[in-house]
Amino acid sequence: MHFGKFSVSTQAQMQFIDITAQAEQAVREIGVADGILYLFNPHTTAGLTVNEGYDPDVQHDLLGVFQRVIPNSYPYRHAEGNSPSHILATLTGSSLTVILADNKLQLGTWQRIFFCEYDGPRNRHIMWKVMVG
Amino acid sequence: MHFGKFSVSTQAQMQFIDITAQAEQAVREIGVADGILYLFNPHTTAGLTVNEGYDPDVQHDLLGVFQRVIPNSYPYRHAEGNSPSHILATLTGSSLTVILADNKLQLGTWQRIFFCEYDGPRNRHIMWKVMVG
Amino acid sequence: MHFGKFSVSTQAQMQFIDITAQAEQAVREIGVADGILYLFNPHTTAGLTVNEGYDPDVQHDLLGVFQRVIPNSYPYRHAEGNSPSHILATLTGSSLTVILADNKLQLGTWQRIFFCEYDGPRNRHIMWKVMVG
């Protein structure tokens, strides 16, 4: 029952937030050396991804192209006006798994875990769980 | 070995089907309170996603934009003529994980789990498994 | 601690490599009959997907449309010039789970697991883990 959540406050309509440190802290606190970390985003206009964290221009380019590829002017029916955010939620995905081995999340050298805000700014939360084995 | 599958019949060429109730029933039948639910789509022209289930216009907008963004007239080589369906399968993803805690799938307030049909109508099935912990 | 990695050498800038046999070998070597196979791609310009493996034209069509949809000429800021590869990494996803039951990965009839190279040719590796249950 290694299960919990942590909060993220976003400051822009579209923004990537690096949540690697919060994920690492959750794993450290429960003291599990080997297993799987599961992250789950419970919001329908946001997502979770793993990508480069070193150069913030990578995040800038992703969000810019997402806004260009997903049309703003399509005859959307959803009355809230945030259909592009829902579309990006599905394209990005709501769940991800990271291997935990030797007390460490096994991310690649340049990889960081990001919460993807597509309809902010908002107060959001991310759910996590660790399975041991 | 909490493992099984359930069926879905789709009625259109492209359609989202809410499979949350079937996923919840699988979890309820095996009586596991805490763990992870794994869903896996074994078809190559379909996918699985989590998104808003309250307003069906969200699904309408997703499918409309998918058909607009993925070209119909590209010089596709795949002779079956359903390459856009295969492309959407990869963009949507074939596997997802949902946290199970306190006897409940930990979905967000507006979230539902959808089977995404991209080459219907067909009889499809979804595989599931629960790991306890 | 059923955990390891295997290598993949890619020969093109964009290429799908079928890694199903390597995944099956990892599962066979540890002799687990039931559980979950986790695959994780530690690179930020690559991804993992499940799609049709029978007709290589499917892979050709996916990569062709990806290159058409993700613009080459956008005012990208990331100085390395490979922003489209990072974008495709997020759209494809870095982690996936496959159900293991009765000594077999429960893939569909036409499904294969692919490593998606978006910035090759390079020597890459894929991490795997199996949880028993």
Side-chain angles (χ1 to χ4, degrees):
Chain A
M1 289 198 290
H2 300 302
F3 165 59
K5 52 183 160 181
F6 51 81
S7 296
V8 171
S9 287
T10 61
Q11 280 84 41
Q13 202 259 327
M14 289 181 72
Q15 184 182 14
F16 277 28
I17 305 260
D18 187 334
I19 58 169
T20 317
Q22 286 159 292
E24 285 171 340
Q25 195 189 335
V27 166
R28 206 163 38 233
E29 276 173 11
I30 57 174
V32 171
D34 297 277
I36 296 287
L37 170 69
Y38 303 81
L39 294 173
F40 188 84
N41 154 51
H43 309 286
T44 59
T45 53
L48 292 171
T49 196
V50 172
N51 213 313
E52 186 189 309
Y54 183 75
D55 178 5
D57 284 344
V58 171
Q59 304 157 41
H60 168 270
D61 290 348
L62 264 97
L63 292 175
V65 166
F66 283 170
Q67 286 173 289
R68 174 155 155 179
V69 170
I70 305 303
N72 216 21
S73 62
Y74 184 83
Y76 290 114
R77 282 202 203 156
H78 182 49
E80 289 185 48
N82 60 357
S83 285
S85 316
H86 286 290
I87 294 165
L88 289 170
T90 279
L91 291 177
T92 308
S94 57
S95 62
L96 60 83
T97 54
V98 185
I99 296 170
L100 172 61
D102 305 325
N103 285 296
K104 253 184 62 109
L105 293 178
Q106 297 295 314
L107 295 168
T109 311
W110 306 104
Q111 282 183 327
R112 303 291 285 179
I113 307 169
F114 291 97
F115 177 77
C116 310
E117 174 64 84
Y118 296 129
D119 195 27
R122 297 207 203 192
N123 294 316
R124 304 285 207 173
H125 64 279
I126 294 110
M127 307 180 82
W128 61 266
K129 186 174 174 78
V130 173
M131 297 275 275
V132 186
Chain B
M1 288 198 292
H2 300 302
F3 164 60
K5 54 182 160 182
F6 51 82
S7 296
V8 171
S9 287
T10 62
Q11 280 83 40
Q13 202 259 326
M14 289 181 72
Q15 184 182 13
F16 278 26
I17 305 260
D18 186 334
I19 58 169
T20 316
Q22 286 159 292
E24 284 171 341
Q25 195 189 336
V27 166
R28 204 162 39 233
E29 275 173 11
I30 57 174
V32 172
D34 296 277
I36 297 285
L37 169 69
Y38 303 81
L39 294 174
F40 188 84
N41 154 50
H43 308 286
T44 59
T45 54
L48 292 171
T49 196
V50 172
N51 213 313
E52 186 188 310
Y54 182 75
D55 177 5
D57 283 345
V58 171
Q59 305 155 42
H60 168 271
D61 290 349
L62 263 98
L63 292 175
V65 166
F66 283 171
Q67 285 173 290
R68 175 155 154 178
V69 170
I70 304 303
N72 216 21
S73 62
Y74 184 82
Y76 291 115
R77 282 202 203 154
H78 182 49
E80 289 186 48
N82 59 357
S83 285
S85 316
H86 287 288
I87 294 165
L88 289 170
T90 278
L91 291 176
T92 308
S94 57
S95 62
L96 60 82
T97 55
V98 185
I99 296 171
L100 173 61
D102 305 324
N103 284 297
K104 252 184 62 110
L105 293 179
Q106 297 294 315
L107 294 167
T109 310
W110 305 105
Q111 282 182 328
R112 303 291 287 178
I113 308 169
F114 291 97
F115 176 77
C116 310
E117 173 64 83
Y118 297 129
D119 194 28
R122 296 207 204 190
N123 294 315
R124 304 286 207 172
H125 63 280
I126 294 110
M127 307 179 83
W128 61 268
K129 186 174 174 77
V130 173
M131 298 276 275
V132 186
Chain C
M1 290 198 289
H2 299 303
F3 164 59
K5 53 183 159 181
F6 51 81
S7 296
V8 171
S9 287
T10 61
Q11 279 84 41
Q13 202 259 327
M14 289 181 72
Q15 183 182 15
F16 278 27
I17 305 261
D18 186 334
I19 58 169
T20 317
Q22 286 159 291
E24 285 171 340
Q25 194 189 336
V27 166
R28 206 162 38 233
E29 276 173 10
I30 57 174
V32 172
D34 296 276
I36 296 285
L37 169 69
Y38 304 81
L39 293 174
F40 187 84
N41 154 51
H43 309 286
T44 60
T45 52
L48 292 171
T49 196
V50 172
N51 214 313
E52 186 188 310
Y54 182 74
D55 177 5
D57 284 344
V58 172
Q59 305 156 41
H60 168 271
D61 290 348
L62 265 97
L63 292 175
V65 167
F66 284 171
Q67 285 173 289
R68 174 155 156 178
V69 170
I70 305 303
N72 216 21
S73 61
Y74 184 83
Y76 291 114
R77 282 201 203 154
H78 182 48
E80 289 185 49
N82 59 357
S83 284
S85 315
H86 287 289
I87 294 165
L88 288 171
T90 279
L91 291 177
T92 309
S94 58
S95 62
L96 59 83
T97 54
V98 184
I99 296 171
L100 173 61
D102 304 325
N103 284 297
K104 252 183 64 109
L105 293 178
Q106 298 294 315
L107 295 167
T109 311
W110 305 105
Q111 283 183 326
R112 304 291 286 179
I113 308 168
F114 291 97
F115 176 78
C116 310
E117 174 64 84
Y118 296 130
D119 195 27
R122 298 207 203 192
N123 294 315
R124 305 285 208 173
H125 64 280
I126 294 112
M127 308 180 81
W128 61 266
K129 187 174 173 78
V130 173
M131 297 275 274
V132 186

